[in-house]
Amino acid sequence: MAHILVVEDEQPISDLITMNLKLVGHTYSKVYTGSEVAGMLEQERTDLILLDVMLPGLDGFEVMQQIAPLRIPVILITAKNALSDRIRGFELGAEDYIIKPFEILELLARINVVLRRNEQATPAFICDAVEVRFPERQVRVDQLPVDLTTREFELLEVLIRNRNIALSREKLLELAWGYDFAGDTRTVDVHIRQLRKKLGWEERIKTVFKLGYRLEVQV
């Protein structure tokens, strides 16, 4: 997982974001003003910045200009939804731009996309005898390779990156298959069953692997 700096002056929003970052396995630091960002980045490694635009003191755009030489990926989070603001953000180097109010699952999904794009996320996830290597799209059980279909791997990755968050079938389809999926939502159950079988989690899943969907769908 990644270490993420949250720059948000509204504490309830900051707390909501950091709570969910922790749930899915990321670590975080948080500051409430733009003037604190540079000092924080000098103190610790940061893989991604979630940056509010409307901050006291230095605003988000000014912060981006200040930290540009560090080349750290930035997702802007703001209530300013004018096209000119979005264009300015992207011209300054923002990886993404999300408008308040937002769904926390959408933010987590966008974080995952940016981390994958910049290869800042931890490359492997290990649980019991199972090892998942994201860059290579490889899965091993007891050191032996497991053959997953593209859909199975995409679903597994979504579950891992959103672990400890309860995801509906519809949300899993949206995150793993995309918005244009037109099939039966029960297809998630079929893929979950196949994952449990291939990874050897049919008997011990409840104590070994705690994911949002729990890999415990009854089919």
Side-chain angles (χ1 to χ4, degrees):
M1 297 289 110
H3 185 75
I4 298 173
L5 175 61
V6 179
V7 189
E8 168 60 63
D9 65 319
E10 297 184 57
Q11 186 169 345
I13 297 177
S14 178
D15 291 345
L16 174 66
I17 292 172
T18 54
M19 177 184 70
N20 282 278
L21 291 177
K22 183 177 180 180
L23 280 175
V24 299
H26 296 303
T27 58
Y28 64 86
S29 298
K30 55 184 177 179
V31 296
Y32 299 98
T33 66
S35 59
E36 298 174 90
V37 175
M40 181 64 72
L41 295 179
E42 291 178 357
Q43 297 175 30
E44 60 187 28
R45 176 188 65 85
T46 300
D47 300 313
L48 174 68
I49 301 173
L50 301 180
L51 178 62
D52 188 16
V53 172
M54 301 172 67
L55 293 167
L58 292 177
D59 66 23
F61 296 137
E62 292 170 319
V63 170
M64 288 197 67
Q65 291 174 318
Q66 183 182 67
I67 66 173
L70 300 178
R71 303 182 66 84
I72 299 172
V74 174
I75 297 177
L76 290 174
I77 302 176
T78 180
K80 301 180 72 173
N81 61 0
L83 178 60
S84 59
D85 291 319
R86 295 199 297 273
I87 291 174
R88 184 181 180 190
F90 288 126
E91 287 179 341
L92 288 170
E95 293 274 349
D96 204 348
Y97 195 107
I98 189 166
I99 305 297
K100 298 177 182 178
F102 53 84
E103 292 286 344
I104 194 66
L105 287 176
E106 180 182 2
L107 175 61
L108 293 174
R110 291 180 183 230
I111 288 171
N112 290 337
V113 169
V114 171
L115 290 174
R116 286 199 301 270
R117 184 186 303 148
N118 290 273
E119 298 183 349
Q120 299 292 333
T122 302
F125 179 85
I126 299 174
C127 180
D128 199 50
V130 176
E131 178 183 6
V132 182
R133 299 196 62 83
F134 300 113
E136 298 88 351
R137 298 178 71 85
Q138 294 177 349
V139 178
R140 293 179 177 271
V141 176
D142 293 324
Q143 304 299 317
L144 299 175
V146 176
D147 185 23
L148 297 184
T149 67
T150 299
R151 291 301 194 197
E152 287 168 350
F153 186 88
E154 290 170 349
L155 179 58
L156 180 61
E157 183 175 6
V158 167
L159 289 166
I160 290 172
R161 295 192 186 280
N162 295 278
R163 61 189 184 277
N164 296 325
I165 294 179
L167 299 174
S168 66
R169 289 184 179 90
E170 291 78 10
K171 182 56 67 173
L172 281 171
L173 286 172
E174 177 183 312
L175 295 177
W177 275 268
Y179 292 92
D180 57 350
F181 181 81
D184 188 345
T185 59
R186 298 289 292 185
T187 191
V188 172
D189 299 7
V190 176
H191 284 79
I192 292 289
R193 183 172 59 187
Q194 287 299 108
L195 282 173
R196 291 173 60 185
K197 182 177 180 180
K198 290 183 177 183
L199 301 180
W201 288 336
E202 291 181 304
E203 298 299 328
R204 50 196 175 126
I205 189 65
K206 291 184 180 180
T207 58
V208 171
F209 207 86
K210 301 296 185 183
L211 296 179
Y213 202 63
R214 299 295 195 274
L215 292 186
E216 296 173 21
V217 175
Q218 299 298 316
V219 295

